[in-house]
Amino acid sequence: MQQRVLWAAMLSAGLLAACGGGGGGDAPTPPPNPNASVSLTGTAAKGLMANATVTAHAINSDGSIATAALATTTTNAQGLYTLSFTATKGQPYVVKVTANANTTHLDEVSGQAQPLPVGFAMRSLLPAATSDTVTTSASVTPFSEMAVAAAAEAPGGVTTANATQAVTTVTQLLSFNPSNVVPTTAGDANATPNQQKLAVMLTAVSQLAASGALGCNTGSAGEKTQCVVNTLADAASLPSIKLETGGTDVSAALGTAVATVVNDPALVGSVPPAALDGIRANLACQGAACNAVTPTQASAIEAAKTLFTQIKSDWTALFSRGGATSIATGAANAEAWKFREAMTDVQAPAEMLLKDAGTLLMAVDLYNDYKAGRETVPDRVRAEDLTANDGMSDFSNFAAVACSLYQDANVSVLATAPANANFIGCGARYYVSRTVSGDTTTITEWRHGFTITPNANGSFGYTTRARERVRSCTTGSPCTLVANNSLQANFYAGTVTPTLTGTFGRITGFSIAGELPAAFVEGTNQLVDVNGHHTWSLTGTRTIAANNMSTTTFSGQVAAINGDGSTASTLKVSNGSTSETPVWRDASGNEVEPGSPTAVSPFGGTFSGGTLTLTWTTPSAEFEGTFSATDSVWDASGTSLSPTKVTLAGSLRNINAGQTQEFLNGRIDATVTGFDGYDNTQPDSTSNFHTVAFTFVGQVTAPGRPVLELSASSSLRSHEDEPSAVNLQYRSIVSGTARNVITVTGTRGGNGVMSFALNEAASNLSLNWVDGATSGNLMQGTSLVGTIDENTKMLTFSDGQFMSLDFGL
């Protein structure tokens, strides 16, 4: 900017004077041209609108949109148009698409061309011209209409300020400026990430019309579409990305429609569902998260400089190279280091609590069922494919918990009848390995072993110790016990007191109190503290359904005790629940879905879901949150049962001198789709796969630092090695107000290459690049701002200035 002024001054002072004509006077400087010649192209889509009338309109002095058209044309069969007109510099304009008697649109849900009501209209805002000749483009969609409607309804009407804020608000909601994205279809494999998102959003509008949502349930299909578009426009406003009108939560309705589209392969086409996660999160916003960011007033280059400087400041203040270390300079890294140090060698015993409690309750159930004649086999297993292992063999049918009934206290002679079922032996397995030599297989289990004794008062006493059990299995012969090594010197003991429906009845309530062995380090065969143990107390209730499956609720706590008697950590469960579903066995004894062609006989129930709301505390750190695994379904072969929704939500805090400081809170969701159509017995392929989507939403902060609100997501198909889509949105919050709203979306094309799009709402800056490319163009609207070199991490602006984008992270 300074260089341009300097050159202009030099030219005015020197060159123009040197070129003076006859008569001895300088040539007069011509007045600036107040007009601009605008050449406009674009696409009209709800879906693609053919034979629609396109007009350009000026803005009146009162902010209203002029009725008279500056230019007129008609869209072609693909919704394309070209328009030229003379504009006044510094003033915004509006392009309008109106349906006539010949207009149709390609409805995304039905796949058919549908007529639209005569007079149906959508508009798009054109930014103020700043040069004599302007060549630009503007897509006209229901979402560009939202921006025009919000500006028109604001005080003062469509002023430059209102128009800029309207575009910023809609851009923040969608993570892209809809006027700058050329509409395409969800089946377009060559579409950019922003085109893919727009395609799904347009399909969601059609889904709203098809379902009769938002009260749009009368008239023709075109009239329902018109109703939906008008309702979306009425719901838009300048200060908030929340869409609501007349008491109707339009954001929620649109979010539901988006979910319907992304879960329907016929509608979502080649668009990865995770690409829409950012928009879905925005549609579900609450409170201050819905506030629209204020547009940047600086020039495009200055806005870009400010943006990247702020990004660098935000991230380097919280994060530093090297991660969480004792010398980390990033405030969040430093807090994470404190938390990690506080939790080192301390393991939240949630898995142990659930597994050991489940083992003891299953033992009581087995004993009562066998004594009452409801069970004729003196052993029972549960929770297959839930034991950590060495990965060297298939452990999909290996049970995490197992119990058998015995005649003797040494649990060596199996019971043969209810009368001689006197003791129960159980194992809660935490790690397993298998080795094969010839026709002999050696199986080693690391577990908590339990011996359980029924008491005369109806309670059950137990003793337990951490053990390593080794069995040898030869083809055609029963497995034999090779060793049952004690991993701790001491036994630990406790009592289970059940409430039963009657003598040898089903459990409807329980309490457990006593001690447990040391926990195994998660995913390994090593004990957290060979000299340590746990104390616990747990109470709960049990509801038994008509199919004999139970739902259990419980609360209580378990404390980890060090070898010196001090408390390492305490896990408090304010509420928890588990549920089970029926299972059958096949001829080989594997769990299968009831009704499966390979099912031979029923075999009780198995874990199908659970939830824990807990607080885990050490002397200097704390985690508080909820874990859940729910909505289990069988695969298409009926051989594998898996939760399809897993959630971990909570907060990480450090404790210093009695003061608690939270540095991270968030929620992680893992969702499995397509598992019911996936055959676990066949190799994964393009025709046999399921998809796992991961989402994180949370905040990162530190004392005296900005708050970063983050949402990130990705999705991975089981037959692929890399995600099909990634999505990141981040807002920097300063004094409670969002300063930047940045979205990055990446989607993998049919050629396997990721394409990325970055958008920032306040400045309307965007960047598109392809993985592996050496450079990418930074744009503001349709104007080039600069080019980023991938190798040097330098941003070179269109005026020759440059800045480094290497943040040192």
Side-chain angles (χ1 to χ4, degrees), residues 711-786:
S711 66
S713 62
S714 66
S715 64
L716 179 67
R717 297 185 177 105
S718 60
H719 67 292
E720 296 178 339
D721 296 326
E722 297 177 310
S724 54
V726 294
N727 191 84
L728 170 68
Q729 179 170 288
Y730 117 74
R731 303 180 347 134
S732 58
I733 309 298
V734 179
S735 300
T737 301
R739 182 175 61 187
N740 303 115
V741 181
I742 300 167
T743 302
V744 179
T745 301
T747 57
R748 192 171 303 282
N751 58 359
V753 177
M754 291 289 284
S755 296
F756 295 92
L758 178 149
N759 295 270
E760 201 284 314
S763 61
N764 196 21
L765 290 168
S766 63
L767 174 68
N768 292 278
W769 77 99
V770 177
D771 191 24
T774 58
S775 64
N777 290 333
L778 181 67
M779 310 291 291
Q780 186 178 65
T782 58
S783 301
L784 178 66
V785 178

Side-chain angles (χ1 to χ4, degrees), residues 265-642:
L267 296 179
V268 77
S270 60
V271 182
L276 277 294
D277 285 347
I279 300 176
R280 295 174 69 179
N282 291 339
L283 289 170
C285 72
Q286 298 291 330
C290 300
N291 295 339
V293 68
T294 302
T296 300
Q297 301 299 321
S299 68
I301 291 177
E302 292 306 315
K305 290 180 179 179
T306 300
L307 171 64
F308 289 112
T309 298
Q310 289 174 344
I311 293 175
K312 181 176 182 178
S313 174
D314 290 343
W315 286 81
T316 56
L318 288 171
F319 307 106
S320 52
R321 182 170 290 166
T325 67
S326 60
I327 59 173
T329 57
N333 288 116
E335 292 296 313
W337 167 256
K338 295 177 186 177
F339 185 87
R340 191 172 76 181
E341 285 296 286
M343 296 300 188
T344 297
D345 296 328
V346 179
Q347 180 168 314
E351 179 192 17
M352 184 189 70
L353 181 146
L354 288 175
K355 193 170 285 189
D356 285 2
T359 301
L360 291 173
L361 293 176
M362 188 179 77
V364 175
D365 268 338
L366 173 62
Y367 177 82
N368 289 333
D369 288 345
Y370 193 74
K371 286 287 190 180
R374 293 187 297 268
E375 176 66 79
T376 59
V377 179
D379 53 45
R380 184 172 292 177
V381 297
R382 290 288 186 273
E384 294 188 348
D385 200 19
L386 292 177
T387 304
N389 56 77
D390 59 7
M392 301 303 292
S393 302
D394 179 13
F395 291 97
S396 59
N397 64 347
F398 193 88
V401 296
C403 291
S404 297
L405 300 175
Y406 294 89
Q407 300 180 36
D408 59 322
N410 292 325
V411 292
S412 60
V413 182
L414 280 173
T416 57
N420 62 29
N422 301 318
F423 301 93
I424 316 162
C426 296
R429 295 153 170 169
Y430 289 90
Y431 193 83
V432 60
S433 69
R434 179 183 291 149
T435 59
V436 179
S437 177
D439 60 353
T440 300
T441 300
T442 302
I443 301 173
T444 306
E445 308 165 22
W446 288 264
R447 62 186 199 145
H448 284 176
F450 291 89
T451 299
I452 303 162
T453 305
N455 296 323
N457 64 357
S459 66
F460 292 75
Y462 71 82
T463 58
T464 179
R465 186 153 54 182
R467 290 185 177 276
E468 176 192 49
R469 187 173 78 161
V470 183
R471 291 181 297 153
S472 178
C473 305
T474 302
T475 304
S477 302
C479 295
T480 58
L481 181 65
V482 175
N484 194 16
N485 302 318
S486 298
L487 299 178
Q488 291 187 278
N490 297 326
F491 278 103
Y492 299 95
T495 303
V496 181
T497 305
T499 302
L500 306 176
T501 55
T503 303
F504 301 130
R506 301 295 302 274
I507 299 174
T508 58
F510 63 89
S511 65
I512 304 175
E515 297 178 326
L516 290 172
F520 288 93
V521 177
E522 185 175 357
T524 77
N525 58 10
Q526 300 298 311
L527 293 175
V528 174
D529 180 359
V530 70
N531 296 314
H533 69 284
H534 295 82
T535 62
W536 68 335
S537 61
L538 198 64
T539 60
T541 61
R542 210 172 187 197
T543 302
I544 303 171
N547 62 356
N548 286 325
M549 295 298 102
S550 65
T551 299
T552 303
T553 62
F554 57 91
S555 61
Q557 73 173 40
V558 55
I561 309 301
N562 294 319
D564 62 6
S566 62
T567 300
S569 69
T570 300
L571 178 72
K572 294 182 179 179
V573 178
S574 57
N575 61 76
S577 66
T578 61
S579 58
E580 60 181 1
T581 191
V583 293
W584 283 48
R585 292 286 182 182
D586 64 13
S588 300
N590 301 314
E591 286 187 357
V592 295
E593 182 180 10
S596 169
T598 60
V600 174
S601 60
F603 199 79
T606 192
F607 174 84
S608 63
T611 299
L612 278 177
T613 299
L614 53 86
T615 304
W616 178 36
T617 306
T618 72
S620 54
E622 179 179 83
F623 167 77
E624 182 177 9
T626 298
F627 171 80
S628 65
T630 60
D631 296 12
S632 291
V633 300
W634 290 93
D635 77 316
S637 70
T639 61
S640 179
L641 179 71
S642 173

